[in-house]
Amino acid sequence: MSTPQLVVHRSKELMAEAAAARLITAVVDAQAARGTASVVLTGGRNGNGLLAALAAAPARDAIDWSRLDLWWGDERFLPGGDPERNVTQAREALLDRVPLDPARVHAVPASDGPHGDDADAAAAAYAAELAAAAGPGAEVPAFDVLMLGVGPDTHVASLFPELPAVRETARTVVGVHGAPKPPPTRISLTLPAIRAAREVWLLAAGEDKAKAAALALSGEADEARVPASGAHGRERTLWLMDEAAASELARQR
């Protein structure tokens, strides 16, 4: 488990631009070392802000987009093309503007897909797709970068405090039912799957994230109550924040 590192930017705009530049470097380095790269995207305002900044970055063409696998940490279990789905928003912000290999864009099954409205079956199918890409002996790929937004309640992906999904230790993907944030039905990677990533980046911008960030980084939190505290990369855990989200940390010090 890696020790969290903090990088604080003056504003959420600067955070998004700097994170986009950091991601370009990480992907290019991974492709140089291993031939391909694997990234897990997050939705929400900070995840989509990063993707929009990446779309606008002149250096984005340094990435060989045809050798990049994209996954999602969670998804709202809604029909394909729904504007609230993370993949729909990602396509609008970035994916439709770069030459990705469609076979390497691993969207989470939708509620009108082959599994119908059975979120648990859809989660199992996504877990099987991850395992197939991981190779022998592994349940998920060794993601080069896995990005997570942090909710004001400390949730990451769709792992909400005290719900069963945050306590899952056996499965890599689960259906989430009764989420406190709409829509109530979602699909999410679990903490064991998240912790398989080489690097985990947690994005937090805005004053509404300040208490959550401080609690998660206190070193005293129970991950079942504070899911963000359980999100770690094998090699690196990076908190990318703006000054507003880091304000409670400054007070603690």
Side-chain angles (χ1 to χ4, degrees):
M1 182 177 72
S2 55
T3 301
Q5 302 173 358
L6 277 64
V7 179
V8 180
H9 298 280
R10 289 195 305 275
S11 67
K12 65 180 180 181
E13 292 81 12
L14 284 174
M15 185 192 87
E17 292 170 5
R22 190 183 293 274
L23 183 60
I24 291 169
T25 299
V27 170
V28 169
D29 286 349
Q31 290 178 334
R34 292 177 285 279
T36 63
S38 181
V39 171
V40 179
L41 301 181
T42 184
R45 68 175 187 255
N46 293 321
N48 290 325
L50 186 156
L51 294 181
L54 181 53
R60 77 180 196 190
D61 293 334
I63 293 173
D64 184 342
W65 295 97
S66 69
R67 294 189 291 127
L68 176 63
D69 281 281
L70 294 179
W71 304 87
W72 273 264
D74 74 322
E75 185 57 276
R76 295 154 177 156
F77 197 52
L78 297 168
D82 190 289
E84 292 300 310
R85 273 175 60 86
N86 289 334
V87 65
T88 306
Q89 295 173 5
R91 289 190 184 283
E92 181 178 350
L94 171 69
L95 307 192
D96 288 344
R97 306 184 192 189
V98 292
L100 290 158
D101 178 352
R104 289 177 174 250
V105 179
H106 307 276
V108 179
S111 63
D112 59 351
H115 311 287
D117 62 358
D118 188 339
D120 297 317
Y126 204 56
E129 187 174 355
L130 284 161
E139 293 185 288
V140 297
F143 308 117
D144 293 294
V145 177
L146 185 151
M147 293 182 287
L148 297 167
V150 180
D153 62 353
T154 74
H155 82 266
V156 290
S158 283
L159 303 177
F160 293 90
E162 302 292 2
L163 288 190
V166 76
R167 301 178 186 274
E168 179 65 42
T169 59
R171 292 175 292 173
T172 58
V173 188
V174 292
V176 176
H177 306 275
K181 182 179 179 181
T185 305
R186 295 157 174 256
I187 293 172
S188 182
L189 297 189
T190 61
L191 286 175
I194 289 169
R195 292 194 282 247
R198 291 185 174 94
E199 297 196 13
V200 169
W201 298 0
L202 297 105
L203 312 176
E207 190 175 351
D208 62 328
K209 308 296 179 71
K211 289 184 178 180
L215 185 57
L217 289 164
S218 68
E220 303 174 357
D222 170 10
E223 65 189 35
R225 294 185 300 105
V226 183
S229 70
H232 298 278
R234 290 189 290 111
E235 298 175 7
R236 192 180 198 191
T237 303
L238 192 61
W239 279 75
L240 303 174
M241 313 172 74
D242 70 353
E243 289 182 350
S247 59
E248 289 287 333
L249 295 171
R251 292 190 186 101
Q252 284 182 352
R253 293 173 185 169

